Structures are given as structure tokens and as C-alpha cells.
Amino acid sequence: MAVLKVKFTKTKRDKLAQILWILNWISVVSGVILFSLGLFLKIELRKRSAVMCYTMRNELEESLYLGLRDAIKFYKDTDIPGRCFLKKTIDILQIRFQCCGNNGFRDWFEIQWVSVRYLDMASKDVQDRLKSNVDGKFLVDGVPFSCCNPISPRPCIQYQLTNNTAHYNYDFMTEELNIWMRGCREALLDYYTDIMRSIGITVLLIWLFELSVLTGVRYLQTAMRNVLLLGDPQCDSDGWLLENSFVETAKNNINIIKNLGKANQISTVSGNDPNMDIKTANHGPENVPTKSIPTA
């Protein structure tokens, strides 16, 4: 028994063919849109490749963490070839995504982000800070300017963020700082997750649309086949999705898969010659004497 059988008149068949023609072109446009979205995602990933080592989708978060960690570590190396662009990249990134550091602004407290060329090595404060660190790094409780929140009514406090006495009317523990509190890893992860979610929804909608087009094509194909069988182009005809039930269709497909290639197999049981069973043509009665060849 046919599945989802529908009766089509000639008018309905013509309208279905016209609709499918239009939907076919829409399918082409949707395919271009889907390709463009994938290209856009690839470009966005490459644009941030200075701050991430992206390899696979499920490793995005770890890749962002590792890439940002290394980029922040080399922030001060503005004179070293291959790293001189990282300061600009990180500053633009923090301004663009309104974030600070990898996991947060405290990440800047753990690295030396000020280049040695801008430190007064004769200053006692600088010398004390270098000596107080095991690795001889100049560490401060400050952040780059790109961490500043321009919306804050107070002028940006970049240095001595944890020192209440260094600033007037300032309490580090209670006052909301006028720098970005969110880490760049979280900001970038949310950004790419939103892009991928949008692409996923678009792919699902396009897939449902293509499925509807395929369904319409199947109805038109079966309806036109039945018109040819009836021999009257003007008559009504039935169209369906499956000629048999789901169970019968599944069984038939399984049998087709099992029998694939069997038609080309040659039986070689017991070493028999496959040509032995071929019947020869009968040219006439047996024991007919051959004509003698005349001698010269």
C-alpha cells in the first residue's frame, strides 16, 4: 500500500511543477548563503589567529585559552620580529570585545607587560620590583589602557588597582572598577558560539526546506509516471512518497544491498569451467559424411 498517497489533477500537477521550479532557484540561493556563512566563520577564525591556535571545533575553548595566554605573554615584545604586532592585536581585541586579560584583568598582574626599554632602571622602585620577583620580572597591579571602560564616569585607573590609598575616594573591594571585568577568552567563546549557533539554525532551516523540495519532486515524479501508465495526459493520477509501506520498503532496500554484486559473480565450485553448461548451436543431423577434397 502506498504511503501518503495524493490524487493530482492536471492543473495540480502543473502548479506543483511551477512551484518546484521556483523552489529550485531558492535552493540555489540558500546554498550560496550557507557557503557564505561558512566562509565568514573561516575568515573570523583567521582574523583572530594571532591570539588563538584553533584546530578543531570541540577544542575551541582550550585553543582560545592557550592562544591568548601566549599573546599576552609577548605583549611587551614590540621590538622582536614576529611578535611586534601582538600589542596592537591585543589592544584592538580588548577594545573590540570589551574584555581584559585571558580569564580576567588579574592575568595582567602575573606577567611583565611593560617593555624594558620603557623602564627607568636607575629607579629604586623599579629595581626593588625586579629583585622581589624570582624570575626578575617587573610585575605591577596594573593593566593596559585597552582594558579601560570608556562608559565609566571616572577617569580610568590603570595602575595600583589594589591600592586604595593610591587614589582618592577609591575602594578596591567595594567599588566597581572602571575596567572591563570579563576575560577575553569568555568574550571570544561567546562570540564564536553565537556565530556557530546561527549557522546551525540556518543549516537546519535549509535542510528542512530542501526536504520539502525533495518531497514535492517525489510527488510530481510518481504522479507523472502514473500518467504515462494510464496513457492520458489529461486524466487524474495518484502520487505518493513510497510505493509500499515503510516495512516493505526497508526489506526491499536491505535485499538490494545484500544482492549487490551477486549478478556479476561467477561460480567456480569444484573447479568446473563456467562455459561447460553453454549450449552449442545445432547445425543439422550427426554422422554426415564430409565431402572429399578433389585431388589435382
Side-chain angles (χ1 to χ4, degrees):
M1 182 178 178
V3 177
L4 298 177
K5 184 168 65 174
V6 177
K7 185 173 288 293
F8 290 91
T9 62
K10 182 180 183 304
T11 303
K12 288 183 178 180
R13 290 195 300 268
D14 293 341
K15 288 184 178 179
L16 179 59
Q18 294 171 358
I19 292 173
L20 289 175
W21 183 84
I22 296 174
L23 294 181
N24 239 0
W25 284 106
I26 297 177
S27 297
V28 174
V29 175
S30 62
V32 173
I33 292 174
L34 186 59
F35 176 79
S36 302
L37 288 174
L39 188 62
F40 168 74
L41 177 60
K42 186 174 182 180
I43 292 174
E44 285 297 306
L45 291 173
R46 286 197 172 186
K47 281 169 62 177
R48 316 297 171 191
S49 61
V51 294
M52 61 186 293
C53 45
Y54 180 81
T55 53
M56 296 176 62
R57 167 63 186 88
N58 57 358
E59 297 177 356
L60 176 59
E61 185 173 3
E62 181 182 359
S63 299
L64 286 171
Y65 171 78
L66 296 175
L68 284 167
R69 183 195 63 183
D70 293 338
I72 290 174
K73 182 170 64 177
F74 301 133
Y75 179 86
K76 69 179 186 304
D77 298 336
T78 53
D79 296 329
I80 299 178
R83 299 179 185 174
C84 57
F85 65 93
L86 283 177
K87 179 186 180 300
K88 178 182 177 182
T89 301
I90 291 296
D91 285 334
I92 293 176
L93 179 72
Q94 293 189 144
I95 295 173
R96 164 71 174 80
F97 288 93
Q98 300 181 352
C99 58
C100 185
N102 194 345
N103 295 315
F105 68 92
R106 289 182 178 272
D107 292 332
W108 292 105
F109 298 176
E110 302 172 0
I111 63 168
Q112 178 179 337
W113 54 273
V114 180
S115 176
V116 177
R117 66 181 297 186
Y118 301 115
L119 295 177
D120 183 7
M121 303 306 295
S123 171
K124 187 177 183 302
D125 180 63
V126 173
Q127 292 178 3
D128 291 342
R129 286 185 179 274
L130 292 175
K131 292 178 181 179
S132 64
N133 185 264
V134 178
D135 298 325
K137 296 180 179 179
F138 183 78
L139 304 181
V140 294
D141 55 343
V143 295
F145 79 97
S146 53
C147 285
C148 294
N149 181 358
I151 302 176
S152 174
R154 181 168 188 160
C156 184
I157 297 177
Q158 293 179 244
Y159 298 98
Q160 298 184 339
L161 293 174
T162 58
N163 186 0
N164 290 335
T165 61
H167 312 283
Y168 178 74
N169 193 21
Y170 177 78
D171 188 350
F172 171 71
M173 300 300 296
T174 60
E175 184 175 352
E176 183 178 354
L177 302 180
N178 54 359
I179 58 175
W180 302 117
M181 305 300 293
R182 186 170 64 159
C184 291
R185 178 178 60 86
E186 179 185 353
L188 284 172
L189 187 63
D190 291 343
Y191 175 72
Y192 288 118
T193 300
D194 290 341
I195 292 179
M196 292 177 182
R197 185 183 296 114
S198 301
I199 292 178
I201 294 174
T202 304
V203 170
L204 178 61
L205 294 176
I206 291 177
W207 180 80
L208 293 174
F209 172 75
E210 296 291 346
L211 184 62
S212 65
V213 173
L214 183 62
T215 302
V217 171
R218 174 60 177 171
Y219 271 117
L220 182 63
Q221 181 256 331
T222 52
M224 293 303 299
R225 186 183 66 176
N226 290 330
V227 166
L228 293 176
L229 292 175
L230 294 173
D232 184 6
Q234 305 298 325
C235 69
D236 297 347
S237 62
D238 293 331
W240 52 70
L241 290 181
L242 297 176
E243 190 171 359
N244 301 313
S245 65
F246 289 104
V247 177
E248 293 177 351
T249 302
K251 289 181 179 179
N252 292 335
N253 290 333
I254 292 174
N255 291 332
I256 292 173
I257 295 174
K258 287 182 178 179
N259 294 326
L260 282 176
K262 286 187 177 181
N264 296 326
Q265 292 180 357
I266 299 176
S267 175
T268 57
V269 179
S270 302
N272 294 333
D273 187 349
N275 296 321
M276 292 297 294
D277 296 331
I278 299 177
K279 295 181 179 180
T280 57
N282 187 5
H283 296 289
E286 297 180 356
N287 301 324
V288 176
T290 58
K291 297 181 178 180
S292 59
I293 301 176
T295 57

